[in-house]
Amino acid sequence: MTDSLTLRRPDDWHLHLRDGAMLAAVLPESARHFARAIVMPNLVPPVVTAHDARAYRDRILAALPEGMAFTPLMTLYLTEKTEAQDVAAAHAEGLITAVKLYPAGATTNSAAGVRDFDKVRAVFEKMAEIGLPLCVHGEVTDPEVDIFDREAVFIDRVLDPVRRATPGLRVVMEHVTTSDAVAYVTSQDRDLAATITTHHLVINRNHILAGGIRPHYYCLPVAKRESHRLALRHAATSGDARFFLGTDSAPHTDPAKESACGCAGCFTAPNTLSILAHVFEEEGALSRLEGFTSLHGPAFYGLPPNDSRITLTRGDAVPCPAKIDTGEGPVTVFDPGFPLHWRVD
Ligand code: NCD
Ligand code: ZN
């Protein structure tokens, strides 16, 4: 049995770092293991302009503890008022790595997102021209569509039409949760990739709803039935370079989660790599973990993989705190429901 595994240092291609006291508390949890991350722009107010992204990047770097290395890869939050020229200039100066599309109202802090996709056509065309990827929260917000169907419907109603209308647009379908999304991605050309979260490889909707409601497993897109989880596990561990890790680690304080109207998001930064090693080992795919965490993402984004390496060692159960303290209150760490044996040295 393998009990030591050395990988290129991983990157996280979808991460929520928040701001202020929460940023200060959660940033080290990612920087400890990850070299870079695509940083989500859904702050309040959102990171909309190049100016906002520069200021947010500087706050992240200022919050990084002494001696830790971490590169935030910044994104702009697409609105119906976003200017193609501002996006192109931010890309040209190396400030941003992607643009993020939230359909208005799809998830936490997405009210300023896009309602009318015709209004962002010029931005999509500019992005296709300059090769700047679009990260997509792929769920429709139509109240008539069942929440468990919103991802599959988004592919037909929005994603496929947008991609057909904008040849050359490079798209990351983020945090995919369905076999429909896996099938769509694998049926397309190399301009489309998908991120998969750690928690969607572990939980299905029963974990949220059966035998009591478990708010710490509630995230968006919401976990689906078991057959979908198995499709995600297959995609993640297959070695297909179109699938890579985006943890979507999304901290909310316990009172905000454990509420009559709780926030969506699972906080997985502290134990993600231990969980992934467990999952890949279960699938007999430990040799493909490095592709998922450290190689496929840089390849899609046209960046070099990291030079440095991390080693995971298999041993006695790894202790992981149930919560971390932040200046805003306690944040519960995702509980995979099984003991973890892979430790990041
Ligand atoms: C994210 C958040 O809390 O910002 N929540 C989540 O459930 N994933 C938003 C998002 O990525 O959808
Ligand atoms: Zn997210």
Side-chain angles (χ1 to χ4, degrees), residues 14 16 18 40 42 100 102 106-109 137 139 174-175 199-200 218-221 248-252 257 263-266:
H14 180 130
H16 297 271
R18 314 300 191 203
M40 287 296 121
N42 63 332
K100 172 73 187 229
Y102 289 101
T107 187
T108 310
N109 305 338
H137 183 107
E139 288 190 289
E174 300 192 282
H175 42 50
H199 49 281
H200 288 115
Y218 173 61
C219 65
L220 288 171
D248 195 14
S249 182
H252 294 277
K257 295 284 295 173
C263 294
C266 296

Side-chain angles (χ1 to χ4, degrees), residues 65-335:
E66 280 282 316
M68 276 189 153
F70 180 76
T71 304
L73 302 173
M74 306 309 293
T75 60
L76 292 184
Y77 184 119
L78 184 64
T79 74
E80 292 178 2
K81 299 209 168 75
T82 298
E83 309 243 351
Q85 278 318 321
D86 187 54
V87 170
H91 173 64
E93 73 167 89
L95 176 64
I96 60 164
T97 304
V99 171
K100 172 73 187 229
L101 166 65
Y102 289 101
T107 187
T108 310
N109 305 338
S110 63
V114 177
R115 260 165 246 280
D116 178 355
F117 288 87
D118 284 335
K119 296 210 171 119
V120 292
R121 185 152 309 283
V123 178
F124 287 164
E125 277 163 14
K126 176 57 80 180
M127 290 173 65
E129 183 192 317
I130 63 181
L132 178 62
L134 179 70
C135 293
V136 175
H137 183 107
E139 288 190 289
V140 293
T141 54
D142 180 346
E144 307 218 320
V145 178
D146 187 276
I147 190 163
F148 291 102
D149 298 334
R150 288 181 178 190
E151 182 173 287
V153 171
F154 181 87
I155 296 169
D156 294 337
R157 279 201 202 163
V158 182
L159 183 57
D160 196 58
V162 162
R163 293 186 58 247
R164 282 176 197 277
T166 326
L169 181 64
R170 312 195 67 234
V171 175
V172 181
M173 194 176 178
E174 300 192 282
H175 42 50
V176 293
T177 59
T178 57
S179 58
D180 310 70
V182 169
Y184 180 67
V185 171
T186 49
S187 72
Q188 300 295 300
D189 58 33
R190 294 281 153 175
D191 284 338
L192 181 64
T195 55
I196 300 179
T197 75
T198 306
H199 49 281
H200 288 115
L201 296 173
V202 174
I203 60 167
N204 63 33
R205 62 196 195 181
N206 280 7
H207 290 86
I208 312 170
L209 295 170
I213 189 159
R214 294 194 178 69
H216 296 289
Y217 290 148
Y218 173 61
C219 65
L220 288 171
V222 69
K224 310 297 191 295
R225 65 170 63 239
E226 177 66 359
S227 56
H228 294 291
R229 185 185 75 99
L230 295 178
L232 300 177
R233 276 173 90 107
H234 180 77
T237 59
S238 67
D240 186 328
R242 291 171 289 193
F243 297 98
F244 43 85
L245 175 63
T247 64
D248 195 14
S249 182
H252 294 277
T253 62
D254 285 353
K257 295 284 295 173
E258 298 165 8
S259 144
C261 183
C263 294
C266 296
F267 179 56
T268 55
N271 55 7
T272 273
L273 290 176
S274 296
I275 298 171
L276 288 174
H278 181 104
V279 167
F280 275 65
E281 183 173 48
E282 272 182 350
E283 299 290 328
L286 272 179
S287 64
R288 294 198 276 271
L289 181 60
E290 184 179 41
F292 184 69
T293 60
S294 318
L295 302 176
H296 302 165
F300 182 85
Y301 278 95
L303 296 168
N306 298 306
D307 282 330
S308 59
R309 293 189 162 57
I310 60 162
T311 296
L312 288 136
T313 310
R314 193 186 207 296
D316 296 339
V318 180
C320 179
K323 299 174 193 296
I324 66 159
D325 283 321
T326 79
E328 294 180 15
V331 173
T332 292
V333 178
F334 177 75
D335 174 4

